Amino acid sequence: MFSNKKCIPCQGGIPPLKSKEIKNFRSLIHKDWLIKNNKKLTRVFLFDNYVSALSFVNKVANIAILEDHHPYINFNFKTVEVILFTHKIDGLHENDFLMASKIDKIN
């Protein structure tokens, strides 16, 4: 299963994923993830209250620490936006889709 894999550190110097590769990995994650300019994955999560949203943010942070792959997280009351991309290549890598699949298991 894809989400059981572990992120592999990216040292840069490799090209970001191409459109066809992105399409293949896209099929492995929740349909609510959006691909922005073939460079970023984003998803907005909505919660009933602040405490639930904050709990989710902390769970995402724990996964990020374990995987050593850190998304941007925008947190505002009952809304959490997660933005994934690989900084060293300024684009998408398999790790971004792997993180998305792990985050999908939280919610």
Side-chain angles (χ1 to χ4, degrees), residues 42-87:
T42 67
R43 184 172 174 193
V44 174
F45 297 85
L46 303 175
F47 297 89
D48 292 332
N49 56 58
Y50 182 86
V51 172
S52 296
L54 181 58
S55 174
F56 176 77
V57 167
N58 287 324
K59 290 174 185 174
V60 171
N62 286 332
I63 292 170
I65 291 165
L66 289 172
E67 296 296 328
D68 197 24
H69 195 71
H70 305 89
Y72 289 169
I73 303 170
N74 298 319
F75 170 47
N76 185 9
F77 189 51
K78 296 191 279 185
T79 304
V80 177
E81 178 187 31
V82 177
I83 303 167
L84 289 159
F85 68 103
T86 299
H87 304 267

Side-chain angles (χ1 to χ4, degrees), residues 3-66:
S3 63
N4 290 336
K5 290 179 74 175
K6 183 126 177 80
C7 287
I8 299 168
C10 176
Q11 302 303 316
I14 61 169
L17 295 175
K18 305 266 188 252
S19 294
K20 184 177 180 181
E21 295 166 310
I22 290 170
K23 184 178 178 182
N24 289 339
F25 282 117
R26 175 70 187 88
S27 68
L28 301 174
I29 58 176
H30 193 279
K31 66 178 179 61
D32 288 346
W33 286 98
L34 302 176
I35 298 170
K36 305 280 181 147
N37 300 323
N38 277 354
K39 286 188 159 203
K40 294 182 180 179
L41 277 176
T42 67
R43 184 172 174 193
V44 174
F45 297 85
L46 303 175
F47 297 89
D48 292 332
N49 56 58
Y50 182 86
V51 172
S52 296
L54 181 58
S55 174
F56 176 77
V57 167
N58 287 324
K59 290 174 185 174
V60 171
N62 286 332
I63 292 170
I65 291 165
L66 289 172

